[in-house]
Amino acid sequence: LSLYSSPARETKYVENPKTELEEGVSRLRHVMEPYTAWLLCSDFFSEGYEFLQKPPAGFYPRLGVIGFAGIIGLFLARGSKIKKLVYPAALMGIGTSMYYPQQAVAIAKVAGTQLYDWSLQGYIAVESLWKDN
């Protein structure tokens, strides 16, 4: 464009067509809107705020120990990205299980059952692939 001429007066704005990704995200937002509105309007946040205002005895020291275990896990997990995910989670899980043993046993039972089911499904899938070849 020349610096001395003005642009044409009959310019028209044309909006780009939406891509499939944009359409999918838009549909997902419309489907999830009632649930997100319920979550935002629920008492979940107010209960959490009240819990942090009046925590049970020893909550913050326990939280500090569990958080420090996660930081130690990050320090020990140099190198691999998988280590950076596994070590902090494992150390925080160990720290949490020391303070909340009943909940840890319940979670371990459910996780063990799920892990067994997944390993069995994987074994069956590999076995079927092996037999096909």
mmCIF file of all heavy atoms in Angstrom, residues 77-101:
data_model
loop_
_atom_site.group_PDB
_atom_site.id
_atom_site.type_symbol
_atom_site.label_atom_id
_atom_site.label_comp_id
_atom_site.label_asym_id
_atom_site.label_seq_id
_atom_site.Cartn_x
_atom_site.Cartn_y
_atom_site.Cartn_z
ATOM 1 N N ALA A 77 14.342 -37.135 41.308
ATOM 2 C CA ALA A 77 13.927 -37.604 39.983
ATOM 3 C C ALA A 77 14.624 -36.846 38.867
ATOM 4 O O ALA A 77 14.002 -36.431 37.911
ATOM 5 C CB ALA A 77 12.419 -37.463 39.851
ATOM 6 N N ARG A 78 15.896 -36.697 38.948
ATOM 7 C CA ARG A 78 16.621 -36.009 37.880
ATOM 8 C C ARG A 78 16.691 -36.896 36.650
ATOM 9 O O ARG A 78 16.836 -38.104 36.755
ATOM 10 C CB ARG A 78 18.036 -35.673 38.334
ATOM 11 C CG ARG A 78 18.064 -34.657 39.417
ATOM 12 C CD ARG A 78 19.475 -34.248 39.688
ATOM 13 N NE ARG A 78 19.568 -33.672 41.017
ATOM 14 C CZ ARG A 78 20.693 -33.413 41.618
ATOM 15 N NH1 ARG A 78 21.841 -33.682 41.028
ATOM 16 N NH2 ARG A 78 20.695 -32.883 42.811
ATOM 17 N N GLY A 79 16.593 -36.275 35.481
ATOM 18 C CA GLY A 79 16.766 -37.015 34.248
ATOM 19 C C GLY A 79 15.465 -37.330 33.550
ATOM 20 O O GLY A 79 14.972 -36.543 32.757
ATOM 21 N N SER A 80 14.899 -38.456 33.826
ATOM 22 C CA SER A 80 13.752 -38.973 33.085
ATOM 23 C C SER A 80 12.464 -38.221 33.435
ATOM 24 O O SER A 80 12.232 -37.843 34.579
ATOM 25 C CB SER A 80 13.572 -40.455 33.397
ATOM 26 O OG SER A 80 12.395 -40.935 32.817
ATOM 27 N N LYS A 81 11.617 -38.045 32.420
ATOM 28 C CA LYS A 81 10.314 -37.419 32.653
ATOM 29 C C LYS A 81 9.396 -38.359 33.423
ATOM 30 O O LYS A 81 8.563 -37.913 34.203
ATOM 31 C CB LYS A 81 9.671 -37.031 31.329
ATOM 32 C CG LYS A 81 10.380 -35.902 30.638
ATOM 33 C CD LYS A 81 9.691 -35.523 29.353
ATOM 34 C CE LYS A 81 10.435 -34.390 28.681
ATOM 35 N NZ LYS A 81 9.822 -33.992 27.420
ATOM 36 N N ILE A 82 9.565 -39.645 33.210
ATOM 37 C CA ILE A 82 8.741 -40.617 33.942
ATOM 38 C C ILE A 82 9.096 -40.591 35.421
ATOM 39 O O ILE A 82 8.218 -40.658 36.281
ATOM 40 C CB ILE A 82 8.914 -42.023 33.335
ATOM 41 C CG1 ILE A 82 8.332 -42.035 31.925
ATOM 42 C CG2 ILE A 82 8.259 -43.078 34.196
ATOM 43 C CD1 ILE A 82 8.542 -43.307 31.174
ATOM 44 N N LYS A 83 10.378 -40.468 35.731
ATOM 45 C CA LYS A 83 10.787 -40.374 37.135
ATOM 46 C C LYS A 83 10.183 -39.139 37.790
ATOM 47 O O LYS A 83 9.799 -39.177 38.956
ATOM 48 C CB LYS A 83 12.312 -40.284 37.243
ATOM 49 C CG LYS A 83 13.041 -41.577 37.035
ATOM 50 C CD LYS A 83 14.528 -41.328 37.253
ATOM 51 C CE LYS A 83 15.366 -42.525 36.963
ATOM 52 N NZ LYS A 83 16.796 -42.233 37.136
ATOM 53 N N LYS A 84 10.100 -38.046 37.037
ATOM 54 C CA LYS A 84 9.546 -36.816 37.591
ATOM 55 C C LYS A 84 8.064 -36.948 37.901
ATOM 56 O O LYS A 84 7.530 -36.182 38.698
ATOM 57 C CB LYS A 84 9.779 -35.652 36.630
ATOM 58 C CG LYS A 84 11.230 -35.233 36.562
ATOM 59 C CD LYS A 84 11.427 -34.069 35.630
ATOM 60 C CE LYS A 84 12.901 -33.711 35.551
ATOM 61 N NZ LYS A 84 13.159 -32.613 34.633
ATOM 62 N N LEU A 85 7.399 -37.894 37.284
ATOM 63 C CA LEU A 85 5.998 -38.159 37.614
ATOM 64 C C LEU A 85 5.864 -39.187 38.731
ATOM 65 O O LEU A 85 5.023 -39.048 39.620
ATOM 66 C CB LEU A 85 5.249 -38.664 36.380
ATOM 67 C CG LEU A 85 5.007 -37.670 35.265
ATOM 68 C CD1 LEU A 85 4.405 -38.374 34.054
ATOM 69 C CD2 LEU A 85 4.105 -36.553 35.723
ATOM 70 N N VAL A 86 6.704 -40.230 38.685
ATOM 71 C CA VAL A 86 6.543 -41.359 39.600
ATOM 72 C C VAL A 86 7.092 -41.061 40.988
ATOM 73 O O VAL A 86 6.423 -41.326 41.999
ATOM 74 C CB VAL A 86 7.205 -42.623 39.000
ATOM 75 C CG1 VAL A 86 7.227 -43.751 39.995
ATOM 76 C CG2 VAL A 86 6.476 -43.038 37.737
ATOM 77 N N TYR A 87 8.303 -40.531 41.079
ATOM 78 C CA TYR A 87 8.937 -40.337 42.389
ATOM 79 C C TYR A 87 8.140 -39.409 43.314
ATOM 80 O O TYR A 87 7.878 -39.770 44.463
ATOM 81 C CB TYR A 87 10.359 -39.822 42.223
ATOM 82 C CG TYR A 87 11.369 -40.874 41.812
ATOM 83 C CD1 TYR A 87 10.999 -42.093 41.285
ATOM 84 C CD2 TYR A 87 12.723 -40.633 41.947
ATOM 85 C CE1 TYR A 87 11.923 -43.037 40.906
ATOM 86 C CE2 TYR A 87 13.671 -41.574 41.577
ATOM 87 C CZ TYR A 87 13.252 -42.767 41.050
ATOM 88 O OH TYR A 87 14.176 -43.698 40.683
ATOM 89 N N PRO A 88 7.764 -38.201 42.865
ATOM 90 C CA PRO A 88 6.992 -37.350 43.783
ATOM 91 C C PRO A 88 5.660 -37.971 44.184
ATOM 92 O O PRO A 88 5.272 -37.906 45.354
ATOM 93 C CB PRO A 88 6.771 -36.063 42.988
ATOM 94 C CG PRO A 88 7.824 -36.049 41.966
ATOM 95 C CD PRO A 88 8.094 -37.481 41.642
ATOM 96 N N ALA A 89 4.971 -38.574 43.222
ATOM 97 C CA ALA A 89 3.682 -39.190 43.553
ATOM 98 C C ALA A 89 3.861 -40.338 44.541
ATOM 99 O O ALA A 89 3.077 -40.484 45.490
ATOM 100 C CB ALA A 89 2.999 -39.684 42.280
ATOM 101 N N ALA A 90 4.905 -41.150 44.339
ATOM 102 C CA ALA A 90 5.139 -42.278 45.242
ATOM 103 C C ALA A 90 5.503 -41.800 46.641
ATOM 104 O O ALA A 90 4.971 -42.310 47.641
ATOM 105 C CB ALA A 90 6.245 -43.168 44.687
ATOM 106 N N LEU A 91 6.390 -40.833 46.733
ATOM 107 C CA LEU A 91 6.780 -40.345 48.061
ATOM 108 C C LEU A 91 5.630 -39.630 48.767
ATOM 109 O O LEU A 91 5.464 -39.765 49.984
ATOM 110 C CB LEU A 91 8.004 -39.432 47.950
ATOM 111 C CG LEU A 91 9.310 -40.164 47.620
ATOM 112 C CD1 LEU A 91 10.440 -39.157 47.444
ATOM 113 C CD2 LEU A 91 9.658 -41.151 48.697
ATOM 114 N N MET A 92 4.822 -38.892 48.013
ATOM 115 C CA MET A 92 3.666 -38.253 48.634
ATOM 116 C C MET A 92 2.645 -39.303 49.060
ATOM 117 O O MET A 92 1.997 -39.157 50.095
ATOM 118 C CB MET A 92 3.040 -37.251 47.666
ATOM 119 C CG MET A 92 3.889 -36.007 47.473
ATOM 120 S SD MET A 92 3.269 -34.909 46.202
ATOM 121 C CE MET A 92 1.740 -34.381 46.906
ATOM 122 N N GLY A 93 2.495 -40.355 48.274
ATOM 123 C CA GLY A 93 1.597 -41.439 48.649
ATOM 124 C C GLY A 93 2.059 -42.142 49.914
ATOM 125 O O GLY A 93 1.253 -42.468 50.788
ATOM 126 N N ILE A 94 3.365 -42.373 50.027
ATOM 127 C CA ILE A 94 3.908 -42.999 51.239
ATOM 128 C C ILE A 94 3.689 -42.091 52.446
ATOM 129 O O ILE A 94 3.268 -42.540 53.514
ATOM 130 C CB ILE A 94 5.396 -43.331 51.046
ATOM 131 C CG1 ILE A 94 5.550 -44.458 50.031
ATOM 132 C CG2 ILE A 94 6.045 -43.708 52.369
ATOM 133 C CD1 ILE A 94 6.972 -44.683 49.570
ATOM 134 N N GLY A 95 3.954 -40.796 52.272
ATOM 135 C CA GLY A 95 3.736 -39.854 53.370
ATOM 136 C C GLY A 95 2.281 -39.769 53.781
ATOM 137 O O GLY A 95 1.948 -39.712 54.969
ATOM 138 N N THR A 96 1.392 -39.791 52.810
ATOM 139 C CA THR A 96 -0.035 -39.731 53.103
ATOM 140 C C THR A 96 -0.495 -41.001 53.810
ATOM 141 O O THR A 96 -1.298 -40.949 54.741
ATOM 142 C CB THR A 96 -0.834 -39.528 51.803
ATOM 143 O OG1 THR A 96 -0.355 -38.359 51.153
ATOM 144 C CG2 THR A 96 -2.307 -39.376 52.083
ATOM 145 N N SER A 97 0.028 -42.138 53.376
ATOM 146 C CA SER A 97 -0.404 -43.400 53.989
ATOM 147 C C SER A 97 0.059 -43.530 55.433
ATOM 148 O O SER A 97 -0.545 -44.262 56.213
ATOM 149 C CB SER A 97 0.100 -44.586 53.162
ATOM 150 O OG SER A 97 1.507 -44.658 53.216
ATOM 151 N N MET A 98 1.126 -42.819 55.809
ATOM 152 C CA MET A 98 1.547 -42.835 57.217
ATOM 153 C C MET A 98 0.540 -42.105 58.102
ATOM 154 O O MET A 98 0.293 -42.512 59.231
ATOM 155 C CB MET A 98 2.927 -42.188 57.366
ATOM 156 C CG MET A 98 4.036 -43.059 56.845
ATOM 157 S SD MET A 98 5.690 -42.475 57.281
ATOM 158 C CE MET A 98 5.675 -40.789 56.780
ATOM 159 N N TYR A 99 -0.056 -41.038 57.576
ATOM 160 C CA TYR A 99 -0.996 -40.255 58.370
ATOM 161 C C TYR A 99 -2.431 -40.744 58.265
ATOM 162 O O TYR A 99 -3.239 -40.533 59.154
ATOM 163 C CB TYR A 99 -0.933 -38.785 57.960
ATOM 164 C CG TYR A 99 0.324 -38.103 58.423
ATOM 165 C CD1 TYR A 99 1.230 -37.584 57.513
ATOM 166 C CD2 TYR A 99 0.614 -37.987 59.775
ATOM 167 C CE1 TYR A 99 2.376 -36.957 57.929
ATOM 168 C CE2 TYR A 99 1.764 -37.369 60.206
ATOM 169 C CZ TYR A 99 2.645 -36.852 59.283
ATOM 170 O OH TYR A 99 3.782 -36.242 59.699
ATOM 171 N N TYR A 100 -2.781 -41.360 57.145
ATOM 172 C CA TYR A 100 -4.149 -41.803 56.917
ATOM 173 C C TYR A 100 -4.137 -43.277 56.494
ATOM 174 O O TYR A 100 -4.410 -43.602 55.329
ATOM 175 C CB TYR A 100 -4.811 -40.942 55.838
ATOM 176 C CG TYR A 100 -4.780 -39.471 56.161
ATOM 177 C CD1 TYR A 100 -3.880 -38.610 55.544
ATOM 178 C CD2 TYR A 100 -5.650 -38.939 57.108
ATOM 179 C CE1 TYR A 100 -3.844 -37.256 55.848
ATOM 180 C CE2 TYR A 100 -5.621 -37.599 57.418
ATOM 181 C CZ TYR A 100 -4.718 -36.758 56.785
ATOM 182 O OH TYR A 100 -4.685 -35.434 57.092
ATOM 183 N N PRO A 101 -3.848 -44.202 57.417
ATOM 184 C CA PRO A 101 -3.687 -45.604 57.020
ATOM 185 C C PRO A 101 -4.984 -46.282 56.552
ATOM 186 O O PRO A 101 -4.951 -47.094 55.624
ATOM 187 C CB PRO A 101 -3.141 -46.278 58.279
ATOM 188 C CG PRO A 101 -3.452 -45.366 59.400
ATOM 189 C CD PRO A 101 -3.553 -43.992 58.823
#
